[in-house]
Amino acid sequence: MAELTLRKADQPQKGKTWPKPEGATRLREFHIYRYDPDSEDNPRIDTYFVDLDNCGPMILDALLYIKNNTDPTLTLRRSCREGICGSCSMNINGLNTLACTKGMEDSKGAIKIYPLPHMPVVKDLVPDLSNFYAQHRAIEPWLKTTSPTPEKEWTQSVENRAKLDALYECILCACCSTSCPSYWWNGEKYLGPAALLQAYRWLIDSRDETTSERLDNLEDPFKLYRCHTIMNCAQVCPKGLNPAKAIAQIKKMMVERKVAA
């Protein structure tokens, strides 16, 4: 079996151990990935301690505690803290998830936090999602029609609306795509679980009138067919969605179109 290792310049080194909060009786230890693009030093793993009596229960609470009380240079993304924006996605103890919905009590021992894997790192826990967002744009995630625009709205039956359930809830956190080995190795060509789930959401929307055009856009050896149903995407999705199922449905639509031709 091949053994893959990071380049020496990319291998995280042991970093600084920050002082424990004074007077704290209940502490939680955190090992956090640090990377400064303005420095020529290797990434490092810093050790922090959080006073549980003065901190909320979630991982994001702990990160904000560290930033506010211990180390203001720690860099991360976060927004509403309600699990609906996807901003604070990161790798926590080996699993991609949202820091705002991941409780500290879910983990034993020291908690290890890294940025989302296999993505360029901007700084610390902030990955560069430029390619990820470009792929989402590429599937044209908006209603496309050829009929004259109605005076009020595009109507849809209750049954057809129900087909969009477990698809529209995607918050583009990138947890699924960055957990996918096929995306790791073919991220420039393979659209990945998140973009393809979004693509299927518009393919089955009864109001959209460009199904054939959308399928043409996906008819490519890499864009769609790099999925090997490993199911990491469904395992890590913080919204409980199943991108692999959506991808399988797109493949089915491709086959049905060829048979009908």
Side-chain angles (χ1 to χ4, degrees):
M1 180 180 293
E3 182 177 349
L4 304 177
T5 58
L6 292 172
R7 296 181 309 160
K8 186 175 182 180
D10 295 328
Q11 294 176 7
Q13 307 297 312
K14 183 176 181 180
K16 177 179 179 179
T17 297
W18 293 78
K20 297 179 180 180
E22 293 184 7
T25 57
R26 293 197 310 132
L27 293 173
R28 197 67 192 268
E29 184 175 338
F30 284 78
H31 298 168
I32 301 179
Y33 179 95
R34 304 298 308 278
Y35 167 69
D36 183 357
D38 296 325
S39 170
E40 295 182 357
D41 296 336
N42 276 39
R44 67 183 193 273
I45 307 298
D46 279 4
T47 299
Y48 300 90
F49 298 91
V50 170
D51 180 358
L52 296 180
D53 291 324
N54 291 289
C55 179
M58 301 301 178
I59 297 293
L60 182 58
D61 294 320
L63 290 173
L64 295 178
Y65 174 93
I66 292 169
K67 187 172 181 65
N68 293 333
N69 298 282
T70 307
D71 180 11
T73 68
L74 178 63
T75 304
L76 65 147
R77 284 194 184 111
R78 59 99 176 181
S79 186
C80 70
R81 306 177 70 178
E82 295 292 340
I84 58 174
C85 71
S87 297
C88 63
S89 54
M90 56 191 69
N91 186 278
I92 301 172
N93 281 349
L95 187 72
N96 294 350
T97 188
L98 300 179
C100 67
T101 60
K102 181 72 171 178
M104 283 186 273
E105 74 279 359
D106 295 338
S107 304
K108 295 181 180 179
I111 298 175
K112 301 176 182 180
I113 305 180
Y114 290 77
L116 292 175
H118 288 265
M119 303 289 271
V121 178
V122 178
K123 187 175 182 181
D124 294 346
L125 301 177
V126 179
D128 185 350
L129 298 178
S130 300
N131 182 61
F132 176 79
Y133 291 135
Q135 291 171 325
H136 179 241
R137 269 196 314 273
I139 59 101
E140 300 184 327
W142 56 81
L143 192 65
K144 298 172 65 178
T145 62
T146 55
S147 300
T149 302
E151 293 183 4
K152 292 186 177 181
E153 60 186 13
W154 294 100
T155 59
Q156 187 173 49
S157 69
V158 173
E159 292 75 18
N160 283 330
R161 168 59 185 79
K163 294 178 181 178
L164 307 182
D165 289 341
L167 298 171
Y168 77 89
E169 298 95 330
C170 174
I171 57 177
L172 295 176
C173 64
C175 284
C176 63
S177 292
T178 55
S179 73
C180 173
S182 293
Y183 192 78
W184 296 346
W185 312 131
N186 301 286
E188 295 297 323
K189 298 179 180 179
Y190 174 47
L191 290 178
L196 290 172
L197 180 139
Q198 291 280 339
Y200 183 59
R201 176 256 178 273
W202 294 103
L203 279 167
I204 64 162
D205 193 318
S206 61
R207 301 164 297 177
D208 193 273
E209 299 174 339
T210 59
T211 300
S212 181
E213 176 186 322
R214 291 184 184 277
L215 289 175
D216 287 343
N217 185 44
L218 296 174
E219 187 67 82
D220 177 273
F222 279 90
K223 286 184 179 180
L224 172 65
Y225 293 102
R226 292 301 94 188
C227 174
H228 300 300
T229 325
I230 298 171
M231 301 301 291
N232 283 4
C233 55
Q235 180 183 2
V236 302
C237 178
K239 306 301 287 187
L241 310 183
N242 190 341
K245 181 179 179 180
I247 295 171
Q249 291 297 326
I250 297 175
K251 292 178 180 178
K252 180 181 178 182
M253 293 178 73
M254 291 288 195
V255 173
E256 291 174 343
R257 184 170 70 153
K258 290 179 179 179
V259 170

